[in-house]
Amino acid sequence: MAYSEKVIDHYQSPRNVGSFGKSGEVKERSDIGVGIVGAPECGDVMQLQIKVNDEGVIEDAKFKCFGCGSAIASSSLATEWIKGRTVDDALNIKNTEIVEELSLPPVKIHCSVLAEDSIRHAIADYKKKNGAGDESDAHAGEHTH
Amino acid sequence: MTPTLPIYMDNASTTRTDPRVVEKMLPYFSEIYGNSASRNHSFGWESEGAVDVARRQAADLIGSGPKEIIWTSGATESNNLAIKGAARMYAKAPSGNAGRGHVITAIHEHKAVIDPCKRLEREGFEVTWLEPGPDGIITRAMVEDAMREDTILVSIMWANNELGTINEVPAIGELCHDRGAIMHTDATQWVGKMPTNVDTDNIDLLSFSAHKIYGPNGVGALYVRRRRPRVRLEAMLDGGGHERGMRSGTLNVAGVVGMGAACELCSEEMDAEGQRLYALRTQLERSLVDSMDVVQINGNIELRLPHITNISFGFVEGESLMMGIKDIACSSGSACTSASLEPSYVLKALGVGDELAHSSLRLSLGRWTTAEEVDYASEKIRAAVEHLRAMSPLYDLHNEGIDISAIEWDAH
């Protein structure tokens, strides 16, 4: 499969790889939201962690990804796009924009869907920790394939 | 020293045609171009003579008589002709009380065996699909348990194309002969690499192909036993009655000459080549297994062809791994290279977990693989695995001592 230059660039130099601590530690922190989507048996798992300040702005984001090059690029791009946005604004990011930016072929669209889902899950987790408890957001991006 | 890039390590997929083979083929395009079935002029005789030489060369490689070689377009056609041709010919024997007869094969055969067997099922035959153990091997005992009164055909590949694992074919053949069933083996990966004798190995039908043994694409052969027992097949291509009536069609003389030449080279060189490739594969596997944790070689470690290795690198997805080693041509069991999300059905058949199946590479060495290439490849693979593990959430969980299989994933 031929990858676009942008996918290759994100694969070779992924942006914002990492986490804000071990899974047990970040669970305790109310300024951090965690979204983990996908499953190992499906060949892709994305983990997105967002760090939100008092104004509700995502001041930092970190990702980890087990998946193909397009999945890595989608999650890397997602961290770039959400940094500096408010949590509500970040929810406006659509998977189709990721598809367009990375020139993903049809068989790789699910990678962009996963990236969008990881944003929604991370924000829902943050809101839940902070008492907003909007459960519907957590499942808004649920999909099948 | 950096070897010339890219490096070819996908010889189980196809091989480079040996230049010595190409040289033998060249006169058979524009200089000697007669139809080998033309009986009444010298152009035809000359081509027929070349085909006869090739038939002898192919027969010598597998210990058969030359008249038992049927030329085809490749192993897919050979498998189709063997399986459907034998089942349809012997359909009502020995008894018709259970449909049209019983066929035994295995779930991790090549698609060119699985799909003809599925067609037979639709035509009223019953098929038993054997499942291998975790080592991938089909044993005589497994076949014996599945044998019935009305079993007409057993089709078990000699060596598996994804794993290189070797089934108990001679013992299964012996069982078939005791029970009056026909023994077919898809020997595409085996022949030319390992010594073969259809008589002492108890084979009735054997498929092989030129392009896996440094010959050209588009030509293969089916061995069809002529004595004890004489095996008959219903033809799939009807026409001029070529190839003892089993496969009509003007022969691809240049291709046949190439396959013959490729067979002859294998007969002469396979022992030394097998030892050389075994040493190189050992070097490759050892360097990978020793330098990283959670690296698993799939399939039986001992009963394997010397040139194929199938390795899973835990917590790393196969397609992204291949992206990181783009100078090394190989295959992956990952699903991501296709539209389906299913990983390799062969690895699944062994009970390899889906996440390890997604993480697998098949590397297959060949006649021109060098030690420098193996060193380069293992270094590149190690670097790519480390790059990807640094961003793998699964590797983090593993390092935190969390069992990934115990987590309830949001499966989609």
Side-chain angles (χ1 to χ4, degrees):
Chain A
M1 181 173 297
Y3 293 97
S4 70
E5 275 178 31
K6 281 179 181 163
V7 168
I8 292 169
D9 182 44
H10 278 282
Y11 171 86
Q12 284 170 345
S13 342
R15 332 288 199 254
N16 307 307
V17 175
S19 64
F20 297 115
K22 289 184 177 175
S23 51
E25 295 163 12
V26 292
K27 207 176 268 179
E28 306 301 320
R29 288 179 57 178
S30 62
D31 62 331
I32 287 172
V34 179
I36 301 179
V37 296
E41 62 264 32
C42 301
D44 34 35
V45 174
M46 282 182 197
Q47 171 184 291
L48 178 68
Q49 297 188 349
I50 53 171
K51 194 170 166 214
V52 184
N53 66 18
D54 294 341
E55 282 79 51
V57 173
I58 300 171
E59 64 179 29
D60 202 0
K62 297 277 185 202
F63 88 95
K64 290 244 168 171
C65 179
F66 164 83
C68 65
S70 303
I72 290 168
S74 296
S75 38
S76 170
L77 180 66
T79 60
E80 280 193 319
W81 278 2
I82 60 175
K83 269 168 95 170
R85 294 204 198 196
T86 64
V87 287
D88 289 327
D89 188 25
L91 287 172
N92 291 326
I93 294 170
K94 292 279 169 287
N95 80 292
T96 47
E97 299 169 79
I98 296 172
V99 170
E100 202 173 317
E101 173 69 14
L102 298 174
S103 311
L104 298 182
V107 294
K108 296 297 184 187
I109 287 174
H110 75 275
C111 299
S112 70
V113 174
L114 273 181
E116 185 189 315
D117 280 0
S118 70
I119 298 173
R120 290 179 178 280
H121 278 65
I123 291 172
D125 181 58
Y126 166 78
K127 287 186 171 176
K128 201 171 135 196
K129 282 175 174 172
N130 289 279
D134 188 359
E135 280 294 311
S136 64
D137 269 344
H139 298 284
E142 209 121 292
H143 61 281
T144 51
H145 51 226
Chain B
M1 195 184 78
T2 305
T4 311
L5 302 177
I7 291 170
Y8 192 70
M9 290 202 176
D10 205 13
N11 287 278
S13 174
T14 195
T15 55
R16 173 186 180 213
T17 307
D18 193 308
R20 293 171 291 180
V21 168
V22 175
E23 203 174 311
K24 289 280 192 332
M25 292 171 69
L26 287 176
Y28 293 90
F29 291 97
S30 302
E31 291 159 46
I32 305 162
Y33 51 84
N35 186 326
S36 60
S38 294
R39 287 283 158 75
N40 38 11
H41 53 66
S42 61
F43 293 83
W45 301 332
E46 211 175 345
S47 290
E48 189 187 20
V51 169
D52 285 345
V53 169
R55 217 183 279 284
R56 165 59 70 187
Q57 291 165 324
D60 285 348
L61 182 60
I62 63 167
S64 77
K67 288 179 178 167
E68 296 174 304
I69 299 293
I70 303 293
W71 300 115
T72 66
S73 62
T76 292
E77 185 189 338
S78 299
N79 286 336
N80 272 269
L81 176 58
I83 293 166
K84 294 190 284 198
R88 289 170 185 165
M89 179 60 77
Y90 296 96
K92 281 163 190 157
S95 68
N97 54 1
R100 303 182 66 195
H102 178 233
V103 175
I104 298 172
T105 187
I107 58 170
H108 62 325
E109 288 282 318
H110 192 276
K111 292 283 184 193
V113 166
I114 290 176
D115 287 352
C117 287
K118 283 187 178 165
R119 186 173 294 280
L120 291 178
E121 281 186 313
R122 293 197 292 275
E123 290 176 7
F125 293 90
E126 281 189 61
V127 177
T128 296
W129 299 92
L130 297 175
E131 293 178 21
D135 66 353
I137 309 291
I138 296 294
T139 64
R140 174 189 165 124
M142 293 177 188
V143 177
E144 193 159 16
D145 283 346
M147 274 280 184
R148 304 192 329 203
E149 274 287 295
D150 62 341
T151 303
I152 50 182
L153 174 70
V154 174
S155 179
I156 297 294
M157 71 195 334
W158 210 322
N160 185 278
N161 52 304
E162 284 192 31
L163 307 163
T165 49
I166 299 166
N167 293 318
E168 292 182 358
V169 164
I172 294 167
E174 184 184 51
L175 171 72
C176 288
H177 287 175
D178 288 349
R179 304 291 182 88
I182 291 168
M183 175 66 193
H184 168 248
T185 186
D186 173 1
T188 311
Q189 298 289 350
W190 171 275
V191 163
K193 317 289 164 67
M194 301 292 274
T196 309
N197 184 304
V198 289
D199 281 330
T200 54
D201 294 330
N202 312 308
I203 313 291
D204 298 321
L205 297 165
L206 177 143
S207 306
F208 60 123
S209 175
H211 77 100
K212 304 285 194 201
I213 57 172
Y214 312 100
N217 277 303
V219 58
L222 178 66
Y223 157 77
V224 182
R225 177 171 287 283
R226 286 184 82 211
R227 301 183 295 129
R228 288 178 292 166
R230 181 185 186 89
V231 176
R232 294 155 67 221
L233 299 176
E234 193 185 289
M236 290 195 301
L237 293 180
D238 296 317
H242 308 76
E243 302 299 289
R244 292 165 54 205
M246 292 190 221
R247 203 276 189 178
S248 289
T250 299
L251 286 179
N252 164 12
V253 176
V256 163
V257 166
M259 179 155 177
C263 288
E264 187 175 66
L265 289 174
C266 286
S267 295
E268 290 164 2
E269 299 177 1
M270 77 165 93
D271 290 347
E273 193 161 277
Q275 284 173 23
R276 195 181 75 86
L277 294 179
Y278 179 79
L280 288 178
R281 185 189 62 185
T282 305
Q283 176 191 338
L284 177 64
E285 289 182 340
R286 204 160 280 164
S287 67
L288 292 171
V289 171
D290 288 352
S291 63
M292 287 178 279
D293 60 342
V294 200
V295 176
Q296 169 181 313
I297 295 168
N298 297 308
N300 191 297
I301 290 290
E302 301 295 329
L303 300 170
R304 273 192 303 163
L305 293 178
H307 63 293
I308 298 179
T309 182
N310 188 310
I311 317 185
S312 291
F313 302 90
F315 323 112
V316 165
E317 194 279 325
E319 188 189 335
S320 60
L321 180 53
M322 286 178 78
M323 221 175 139
I325 53 167
K326 58 181 180 347
D327 289 330
I328 303 159
C330 61
S331 298
S332 170
S334 160
C336 274
T337 43
S338 69
S340 116
L341 285 183
E342 288 293 305
S344 156
Y345 70 96
V346 172
L347 293 175
K348 259 185 126 154
L350 271 61
V352 173
D354 279 351
E355 71 271 19
L356 276 177
H358 278 294
S359 308
S360 73
L361 290 185
R362 179 192 68 180
L363 299 150
S364 43
L365 315 182
R367 190 166 283 172
W368 293 277
T369 305
T370 65
E372 288 73 33
E373 287 178 336
V374 166
D375 282 341
Y376 180 86
S378 62
E379 186 50 43
K380 277 280 165 186
I381 293 168
R382 194 184 54 74
V385 169
E386 284 175 0
H387 174 67
L388 291 165
R389 281 185 175 174
M391 57 176 124
S392 170
L394 303 181
Y395 194 50
D396 282 352
L397 292 170
H398 168 74
N399 286 333
E400 287 180 34
I402 297 167
D403 180 6
I404 291 162
S405 60
I407 294 175
E408 259 192 57
W409 294 98
D410 178 20
H412 48 284

